[in-house]
Each structure stands twice: as C-alpha cells, then as structure tokens.
Amino acid sequence: MDNSQFIQFPPGSAKFKRSMRYVPRDPGEDLDMEDSEHSLPPEGEFHLFGERHPMSLTRFVVACEGGVEDSDAEHGSVVVVTGVAFVVMAEHQIRTLDGERAPNNFEDEIKLGAVDRTFVSLSVGFEGLGVKEEKMWGILRQKVGGASGLSSQGLGNHMLRLRPVTSAMRSYSSATKEMTVRDALNSALDEEMAADPNVFVMGEEVGEYQGAYKITKGLLDKYGPERVVDTPITEAGFAGIGVGSAYHGLKPVIEFMTFNFSMQAIDHVINSAAKSNYMSAGQINVPIVFRGPNGPAAGVGAQHSQCYGAWYGSVPGLKVLVPYSSEDARGLLKAAIRDPDPVVFLENELLYGESFPVSAEVLDSSFCLPIGKAKIEREGKDVTITAFSKMVGYALKAAEILEKDGINAEVINLRSIRPLDRATINASVRKTNRLVTVEEGFPQHGIGAEICASVVEDSFGYLDAPVERIAGADVPTPYAANLERMAFPQIEDIVRAAKRACYRSAPMAASAS
C-alpha cells in the first residue's frame, strides 16, 4: 500500500496528536496518516454506528469531524475522538461497526474486523451531540469517480449526508457464513493479540509448527517469537512462567497440547493462579488463559482421554469454559482473554474441524460472550437436556429423534462450568419438569451430579420424574475402538434416558425380546 490510499482530514478537523498506525496484512508495512495529502477511494459504502453490514472496499479511509483527545501509536491504535467518526478497512471485508446509541457524555468502544483478522480499534466519545437514545444513525454512501477523488471540502459535505437506517437493512446484517471451530479460535487469538500488546501465546509447537492442531497458525509470522513462544516439553515450566508474567500485567494464553498434560502443571493452575487474588486480598490479578483439547478424542487411550471439567470446575478462583460451536469458541475465548481472572478453556479435538454458521455479529472483532451464561440451543416443553462441548451436538441429534416420537426436548448448551448458569437450568426444569444431564466425564462427582444437586435443591417440587444422568463409564478409557465407544455417551443413550424420564420407554421384557 502507498500513501495514495489514505485521505487527509477535511478543513476544521483536528489531527491526531500522535500518528494513527495501520496494522497491515504484509509484514513490514507500517503507515502513518498524519499530515499526508491523500485521495478518496474510487468507490465505497460504509456504515455509521447503527446496523451491522459486511462490505468490501479497495482503500483504507479514516475521516473524522471534531477534536481528537488522545491516540496511541501501538499496534491496533486506540483513538478517542469527540464528534463523528468513520473508519473503513483497506482491501478487506468489514465485520461490523458497532455502537449503541445513548444519551450525551457517552463513550463506547468500536472494533473493526477484517477477513484476514487485521483490525483497528477506536473509542468514540459523544459529547453534546444531542443524540437521543432511540435515534439510530444511518448509512453514508459515497461513490467517487476517478483517481483524484473528492476535495477535502467535498469530504466534509459527504460526512454530513446521513440518513436513518431502515428496518429492511436489519435482515442483511444477520446473514450467516460457515466457520470451523479451529478458525474461530485462531481469529479470536489474532484479534485479541492485535488489540492488546500484552496478550501473548506460549506452549509446545505453537510457533514454528503453527500449533499441534493449527489453532495458532500464522501468528508467529504476524507477531514474532516474543509474543508466540515455543517451549520445551515442560508444562510445569511454561505454565509457571505464564502465571508469573500475569502477576506483572501481561495476558498469557498457555496452550496445553492436551489437558491431560496439564496435570504436570496443576500446582501452578490451582495454587499459583486460582488462589493468588484471594490470598493477596485482591491486590494481585492473574489474567491468564489455559487452553487446549479436553476429553476423549479417538484411540488415544486412558492417559489422553480424561475430561477435566469437574476437576477444574471444583476450584474457587478459576473460571472454566467449554465451547461447543464456532460462536462459542470465538466469543468465549475473547471473553477469557479479556477477563482479569484465570480461565481454564476446555476445547474438544474432534470439534476443531467442524463447521458452524456464524452471523455478522459473531464475526465482529468486538463480539464477546458473557462468562457464566448458558445458551438454550433448542427450545422444548417435555424434557430438559443439559450438555457441554461435543455432547451438545449429540443432545441436539437426540432431540431430533425424540421429536419424531412426540417428545419436545429443550437442549441447554452450558458454555460455562464455573460459574454454572443455575438460573437457566432451573428455569428450564420448572417448565419441562424433567432433566437429563449429559457429559463425557466420570459419573462420580461429575458436572451432571452438581446440576442434579442444584435442581433438587431449588426445583425439586417441579420434577415429575427422577433425574437421569448420562456420563462416561466409571473405568479408565479403553483403547480398543469397540470398547471405547461403549465407554462414552452415544446419541441412543440420550434418547433412551429422555424416554425414561417421559415414561415413554418400552418395558424391559419387551426390549429384551
């Protein structure tokens, strides 16, 4: 890119006290905007603060009207502007341009994402603009012919030509595309690293090898070895280094090649990370994420197949997240990285290659899911099925089978094990009067056991049938494929349990014949 792809602010607009920096797609490209004469793009359309619309342009445009209060020339510049701001990424597709309307003296953060996950972050303050809460700002459309573009005065006129967003545009903003869980995790890491220079990744084969499961693909080339750190096979060592760096304000993302190996580092996870905030009377925050594949994969034996949800979910001071879909993976990982407390992020190896539909909202770099809030994946009235990670997919398939038999199952994707969304679970059980819990972990002291206890304590009077728990077998995971399948929940197990809860199962004698 050359300077002709940028534009000078119109007359009367303030300039940045320090130059705003564009984080380019190609290494080595680093361009300043300050005090440059530039031209507008030949064609474009961009969105101002209301609805969310994907779009493409061939130029990078920044225009503002008002005073610049502060700016930061770090990667992913944060610029505070008083007035109206428009920002468009160069040669990429914009995910969203988000900004809720609010009364005066309002400040909101806007982040723009691109196809290759390059982005710029802005904080825009509105003071004295008279923007009412119910009023939506509109779309600014511009089409400029020729290479010379508009004059500075012409741009100023264009900036004032706003019109309200119509309700017809709302459907366009909800258009979906497919994204794998792997790409969702990769994009979340990329955007958070670009937004915050304190975020870095550390683990075995995360750099040169691009990650054992390619979750960190491309990050070493983009951010360098100081922020994408390959380590020896020493989980206790690099987990401890990560916790120490978090004590000093960095935000490490520690990758375990599998959470079975986190047992080598469990002292740092629990004693060093989880307890430090309490033991320091709140003086020490530990903003660290421990992430990697959890639970059984396929044919990897007893030592590589354990689910650690119940292990870490029992520890005060930790937050434990369990994504299922690409939306979960992207939104929860961003939330984990931004959280001031240690987060255990349990992924599933067999889900990495699965594709899920994602909306424009999910693709926005500002997208973030709340920690501790479950999602009702499928509404129903006859039986509640709770699940997390890969088992959510099994529960949804079981619900489809049950529907053919006239049973309308409600499926809850837990998303978070600690904190557990007890309110959503109990509200569902009070509606359906039945509960089936599903997990791949061991049955004793499991996640399902905790959910059952919560429902018995808070909603016992609403139950019309005994609670059903579906879990992994209470044995070390077999290596033989046929025995391994028997050791973990299958779709038919969930169907049978739901039918039992609804008193629709066949008598034992009939099923035996």
Side-chain angles (χ1 to χ4, degrees):
M1 258 178 220
D2 58 29
N3 286 338
S4 66
Q5 293 172 304
F6 290 86
I7 177 171
Q8 172 77 338
F9 297 113
S13 295
K15 295 178 181 177
F16 295 117
K17 295 177 182 175
R18 289 169 291 177
S19 60
M20 177 174 173
R21 204 175 279 266
Y22 168 55
V23 183
R25 176 165 44 184
D26 299 323
E29 273 191 306
D30 208 354
L31 302 175
D32 291 344
M33 292 181 39
E34 193 172 26
D35 298 319
S36 301
E37 291 289 336
H38 310 301
S39 62
L40 278 169
E43 183 176 3
E45 172 182 349
F46 56 91
H47 176 185
L48 180 64
F49 302 138
E51 298 291 314
R52 297 174 172 139
H53 299 282
M55 56 174 292
S56 295
L57 285 181
T58 57
R59 296 289 189 272
F60 178 82
V61 179
V62 175
C64 75
E65 185 173 32
V68 176
E69 296 177 354
D70 194 10
S71 63
D72 189 347
E74 296 285 343
H75 284 301
S77 299
V78 177
V79 183
V80 181
V81 182
T82 303
V84 181
F86 313 99
V87 181
V88 180
M89 287 305 301
E91 302 180 341
H92 304 307
Q93 181 181 15
I94 289 185
R95 302 303 192 197
T96 67
L97 187 58
D98 185 21
E100 297 290 335
R101 295 303 89 224
N104 296 346
N105 300 318
F106 161 72
E107 183 168 301
D108 190 20
E109 184 180 49
I110 298 173
K111 291 184 179 178
L112 305 180
V115 166
D116 68 345
R117 294 171 294 280
T118 299
F119 69 94
V120 173
S121 172
L122 296 181
S123 283
V124 181
F126 287 83
E127 296 182 3
L129 293 181
V131 180
K132 294 183 179 179
E133 191 166 0
E134 68 273 12
K135 179 179 179 180
M136 299 287 277
W137 286 86
I139 300 294
L140 170 64
R141 297 173 182 270
Q142 65 176 39
K143 290 197 173 184
V144 185
S148 61
L150 284 177
S151 66
S152 295
Q153 184 61 48
L155 174 63
N157 294 334
H158 271 267
M159 291 173 66
L160 299 176
R161 292 168 60 186
L162 305 176
R163 59 192 181 93
V165 178
T166 64
S167 58
M169 292 179 176
R170 294 172 187 251
S171 60
Y172 184 67
S173 67
S174 63
T176 60
K177 61 171 288 188
E178 294 283 317
M179 175 180 269
T180 65
V181 171
R182 176 181 289 108
D183 288 342
L185 293 168
N186 178 266
S187 65
L189 281 171
D190 189 1
E191 290 171 8
E192 293 306 302
M193 291 179 73
D196 188 344
N198 289 324
V199 178
F200 72 97
V201 176
M202 179 186 295
E204 297 157 4
E205 299 184 348
V206 298
E208 295 290 346
Y209 191 67
Q210 308 288 316
Y213 301 98
K214 304 306 180 229
I215 304 300
T216 55
K217 184 177 180 181
L219 299 184
L220 176 64
D221 292 339
K222 190 168 184 179
Y223 300 105
E226 290 187 354
R227 296 184 65 194
V228 182
V229 184
D230 277 321
T231 68
I233 305 174
T234 59
E235 282 79 11
F238 63 76
I241 292 171
V243 173
S245 69
Y247 285 170
H248 288 274
L250 297 180
K251 298 180 180 179
V253 179
I254 303 300
E255 176 177 310
F256 294 123
M257 198 175 292
T258 163
F259 256 91
N260 298 274
F261 299 157
S262 74
M263 294 178 68
Q264 300 289 329
I266 200 165
D267 179 59
H268 289 301
V269 177
I270 294 177
N271 283 328
S272 300
K275 299 177 182 178
S276 291
N277 184 261
Y278 174 81
M279 295 180 70
S280 68
Q283 296 180 75
I284 299 176
N285 287 108
V286 191
I288 187 171
V289 177
F290 301 99
R291 55 153 297 271
N294 169 71
V300 292
Q303 293 177 327
H304 295 78
S305 300
Q306 294 183 147
C307 174
Y308 286 86
W311 287 55
Y312 291 115
S314 66
V315 180
L318 289 179
K319 295 175 181 176
V320 182
L321 305 182
V322 280
Y324 159 61
S325 65
S326 299
E327 176 180 324
D328 292 355
R330 189 168 155 78
L332 291 176
L333 184 54
K334 283 174 165 285
I337 293 171
R338 297 174 190 181
D339 199 88
D341 298 314
V343 178
V344 171
F345 197 85
L346 303 175
E347 302 156 11
N348 186 282
E349 177 184 340
L350 300 181
L351 288 176
Y352 285 149
E354 292 288 322
S355 293
F356 294 88
V358 290
S359 66
E361 179 184 8
V362 174
L363 295 175
D364 177 25
S365 61
S366 68
F367 176 71
C368 189
L369 288 172
I371 292 177
K373 183 65 179 174
K375 179 186 179 183
I376 298 177
E377 295 280 354
R378 188 183 195 274
E379 292 191 356
K381 60 183 179 61
D382 296 326
V383 60
T384 297
I385 303 175
T386 65
F388 62 90
S389 192
K390 188 178 72 173
M391 289 295 100
V392 176
Y394 281 31
L396 289 170
K397 291 176 182 177
E400 293 176 2
I401 296 171
L402 290 166
E403 189 174 28
K404 296 175 183 177
D405 291 332
I407 297 174
N408 189 0
E410 181 153 291
V411 177
I412 297 179
N413 172 8
L414 294 179
R415 282 183 169 173
S416 176
I417 288 174
R418 187 179 187 100
L420 185 65
D421 189 356
R422 301 171 192 272
T424 294
I425 296 169
N426 278 279
S428 177
V429 170
R430 293 182 183 194
K431 176 177 66 172
T432 66
N433 310 116
R434 295 170 176 84
L435 173 65
V436 176
T437 70
V438 187
E439 63 184 307
E440 292 181 297
F442 300 130
Q444 187 162 331
H445 311 303
I447 306 301
E450 178 64 25
I451 292 173
C452 291
S454 175
V455 168
V456 168
E457 290 168 356
D458 298 335
S459 305
F460 180 76
Y462 292 85
L463 289 172
D464 288 344
V467 173
E468 295 279 349
R469 278 196 300 153
I470 307 298
D474 201 17
V475 298
T477 303
Y479 177 74
N482 57 333
L483 297 178
E484 182 185 52
R485 188 180 189 280
M486 295 172 65
F488 294 108
Q490 304 300 321
I491 296 170
E492 54 267 29
D493 298 323
I494 304 172
V495 171
R496 284 194 293 266
K499 287 183 175 181
R500 286 195 300 269
C502 295
Y503 302 108
R504 298 281 293 276
S505 59
M508 293 297 292
S511 62
S513 62

